[in-house]
Structures are given as structure tokens and as C-alpha cells.
Amino acid sequence: MPSPIPVTRLLPKDIFPSLDMGICSSPLTKHSHSSTLQVPVRRFHGATTSRLWSSVINWKELRSVQPVGSGGFGSVYRAAYFGETVALKKVKKCTKNKLASRQSFWAELNAAHLRHRNIVRVIAATTCVPEDFGDESSIGTVLMEFVGRENLQQIIYGSAAPLEEDRWLRYSEDIAHGLRFLHSHNVVHLDIKPANILVSSEDVCKIADFGCSLKLDHGCEASPISPYLSHVGGTYTHRAPELLRGEGVSPKADIYSFGITMWQLISREQPYTGERQHVLYAVVAHNLRPSLHINSVFQSKLGQRCKTLVERCWSRDVSCRPTAHELLPHLEQLRSQV
């Protein structure tokens, strides 16, 4: 389950003893006594931001806060922080399921200690908000790098411009690179979909929105769903069938979601039509998947090879799905043929 992150996961052993520590209480604990999250406190300057994140936000340094978007998770704003453009995310407090909203906030930090080109970087996060910035409906604030306003969902469905083969294959590679890095650090995202893939001004894909993520036990291929988890979230159209059945969580669940996402990049169609419950039942009971005959692109030589790869990714049999590490050479080979 999303949980307080030991400082030893944030820093090399030769660095963290010399740092001043900040403490932020975590609402996620199996026990009655309080739990704390200890992270290094550093200002947002230069090289330190490439390695560390902070449990303290210097609110006086926030400037020009402008709304970008909102949804069930909360609201996102664009702001200036120490002179650099950042994204400020307020995680919404769910009145119907308070535990789920707390888990969502702390899950956002499961990859906070990681730095990678294809993952949105966390700068700081806190549950302690001054009155000037306060919001009774918010449970916490996460400060992140500002990637841009565009995501893959908008590129796939909101643009009339063609999506060339080299471009969607490059996007697929970016996502797979990000997943390989996450999985190598035992983090599973559990909500990979076009809307959660941001696209930078350099046309680079970055995985965002870790509110459904989990940190697996070290060296554990699959972990059972904890009874303390009020949700194993994700979007039903992209959720792996083993998760729908309540089985163990593994990195292969992200590979399934990647397969659906890659299909969307290729076809530019919606995965399913029909009511949610009917789709869920058909995915689990009848192996329903998006149609591979809906678009002529799957009929080309390249399309046939992509079809084979996508089918492996969304296989009912978890063991038949490739790992993110195994996925990348296939994508690189496909791109070399364009």
C-alpha cells in the first residue's frame, strides 16, 4: 500500500546522514500510533533538484498561480517557484471515502525519489498549507515540474493532424522507458493511459499522476492486494483482468495498460463502447479486447508486427506479457523499419 517512504530510498547512504530532516505526518498506517515521513529538506535550487525532493514548500516563493485543469483527483495550477515554472497539484479530499483520498495523496509520492527523462519530477509535497493557499477540499499539495498543458489523450483524439508512424512509435518507446525505470525500482503505476502521459514542448512523453501507484516489496514479482487498501484504482478500460478479479498486483498490470494505450496511439479510436459493467464482465469472462480490425494501419507489414506485440501486452496470461525491459528492443526494432 502507499506508505511513508524511508529516507534510505531517497538518498545514497553517504549523503543522507548530513542533511537536515523535515517531518511530515502520514495518514497511512496500519497501527494506531502515529507514523512519520522523513525526507530531506532542500530549497529548489540548481543541482539539488535533480536528486532530491522536499517535504517543505516555501510558499512565499510561489508566484503567478494560474489554474490549468481539474478533475476527480483535484486541481492543477501553473506557477513560478524560485523563478522556475512548476505545476502545483492540490489533491482533493473525498468526503465519501476519506481513506481513498489520503491513499491517493501519499501514492503520488511513490516515485518522488526517482529521476528519469520519462517521469514527471516531484519537487516538493506537503499536507501543511498556509491559510492564504488553503482549501478545505484539499488533503495535500504536490509541487512538480511543469511539463506543459498537452497530454496524449488530447493528441490522439483532439487533433486533426496526422499521427505519423515514427511519432507514435517514439511515444510508445518513451512510455516503455519510463515503465522500465519505475519497475526496476519496484514501483507500479496502475493507471497508464493517454490522459496520464504528458507531452513536453520537446515532444517527449512523461508519465504523470501516480495517485493509484503502489510500491511492491523488494524482489517481489507480484504482491497481494492489501486489506488496508481501500482501492486499487485505475481506469476500467485500461485495468488488467487480474486486477479486476482481485488478484495480485505486478508490473505486468502496467504492461497490459501499455498495450491498450499503444492500440489507441495506432488506431486513434476509443477502446470500447457500451456500459462499464458490461465491458468489465466481458474483459474478465470473455477476454474482450479492443478490435484489431478497426483500422487499416493494422493490415500493413508494420501494423501486423505491432498487432502481435499489442496482443502479447494485453494477454490474459500474465506470464505471456513481456516486461518493460523486454518490450523496448521490440519497439526499437519496429521504429527502425519506419
Side-chain angles (χ1 to χ4, degrees):
M1 65 182 287
S3 57
I5 305 171
V7 68
T8 49
R9 291 184 186 163
L10 302 176
L11 297 169
K13 290 181 179 179
D14 59 339
I15 296 177
F16 79 81
S18 64
L19 293 175
D20 293 331
M21 304 305 296
I23 298 178
C24 187
S25 296
S26 165
L28 289 179
T29 174
K30 300 178 185 179
H31 312 292
S32 58
H33 59 268
S34 63
S35 173
T36 59
L37 167 65
Q38 293 187 315
V39 294
V41 176
R42 283 287 184 91
R43 285 191 170 186
F44 180 56
H45 278 305
T48 57
T49 61
S50 67
R51 296 168 54 187
L52 310 177
W53 69 281
S54 175
S55 64
V56 174
I57 294 177
N58 192 325
W59 298 98
K60 293 180 180 180
E61 294 297 331
L62 273 174
R63 303 281 190 275
S64 307
V65 180
Q66 300 292 331
V68 172
S70 62
F73 59 85
S75 302
V76 176
Y77 303 83
R78 177 175 177 165
Y81 190 57
F82 285 101
E84 184 171 333
T85 303
V86 297
L88 186 151
K89 182 174 183 178
K90 292 184 179 180
V91 179
K92 184 186 295 184
K93 183 188 299 180
C94 177
T95 55
K96 293 183 179 179
N97 194 336
K98 295 181 180 179
L99 177 59
S101 60
R102 290 198 299 270
Q103 287 173 342
S104 178
F105 172 74
W106 289 98
E108 288 280 359
L109 307 183
N110 278 328
H113 60 296
L114 302 178
R115 297 290 178 265
H116 190 271
R117 177 176 182 265
N118 302 117
I119 297 170
V120 174
R121 174 170 55 92
V122 172
I123 298 163
T126 183
T127 57
C128 309
V129 183
E131 289 185 6
D132 292 348
F133 290 88
D135 184 346
E136 290 184 2
S137 66
S138 174
I139 197 169
T141 301
V142 184
L143 210 60
M144 303 169 289
E145 67 170 309
F146 184 81
V147 177
R149 295 174 180 265
E150 197 169 40
N151 60 44
L152 278 190
Q153 178 86 3
Q154 295 163 328
I155 290 174
I156 293 171
Y157 301 114
S159 172
L163 193 55
E164 302 295 343
E165 292 172 341
D166 180 72
R167 193 177 177 198
W168 55 254
L169 279 169
R170 179 164 47 82
Y171 286 165
S172 298
E173 274 190 56
D174 281 350
I175 301 168
H177 274 292
L179 287 177
R180 180 175 68 174
F181 186 75
L182 288 174
H183 296 169
S184 71
H185 289 82
N186 304 309
V187 175
V188 286
H189 186 277
L190 297 180
D191 199 18
I192 294 295
K193 61 180 180 179
N196 285 343
I197 308 297
L198 302 184
V199 183
S200 73
S201 57
E202 291 80 27
D203 211 31
V204 173
C205 287
K206 293 176 178 280
I207 299 173
D209 294 304
F210 283 80
C212 295
S213 68
L214 289 175
K215 188 79 166 66
L216 300 181
D217 293 335
H218 181 70
C220 184
E221 175 64 21
S223 294
I225 297 175
S226 168
Y228 298 98
L229 269 177
S230 67
H231 73 300
V232 175
T235 306
Y236 79 93
T237 52
H238 294 67
R239 199 178 307 168
E242 66 271 16
L243 300 187
L244 296 175
R245 292 192 294 266
E247 297 173 2
V249 176
S250 80
K252 296 293 186 71
D254 283 344
I255 300 301
Y256 177 94
S257 304
F258 170 87
I260 304 291
T261 299
M262 186 174 176
W263 178 91
Q264 291 174 276
L265 280 166
I266 298 170
S267 69
R268 303 187 80 169
E269 300 283 348
Q270 295 293 343
Y272 305 110
T273 58
E275 295 183 11
R276 179 179 183 273
Q277 292 303 320
H278 293 164
V279 170
L280 292 175
Y281 176 78
V283 166
V284 174
H286 302 293
N287 205 34
L288 174 69
R289 299 292 185 272
S291 173
L292 289 164
H293 307 288
I294 197 170
N295 196 299
S296 60
V297 69
F298 288 110
Q299 307 310 314
S300 67
K301 187 175 181 180
L302 176 66
Q304 287 290 321
R305 293 180 177 177
C306 289
K307 174 183 173 182
T308 300
L309 184 60
V310 165
E311 286 179 318
R312 282 190 62 200
C313 289
W314 69 34
S315 172
R316 177 200 297 264
D317 186 346
V318 176
S319 65
C320 290
R321 297 176 205 160
T323 64
H325 182 76
E326 294 166 342
L327 191 58
L328 275 165
H330 293 286
L331 291 169
E332 291 165 359
Q333 186 179 34
L334 287 169
R335 195 172 165 213
S336 69
Q337 298 169 8
V338 175

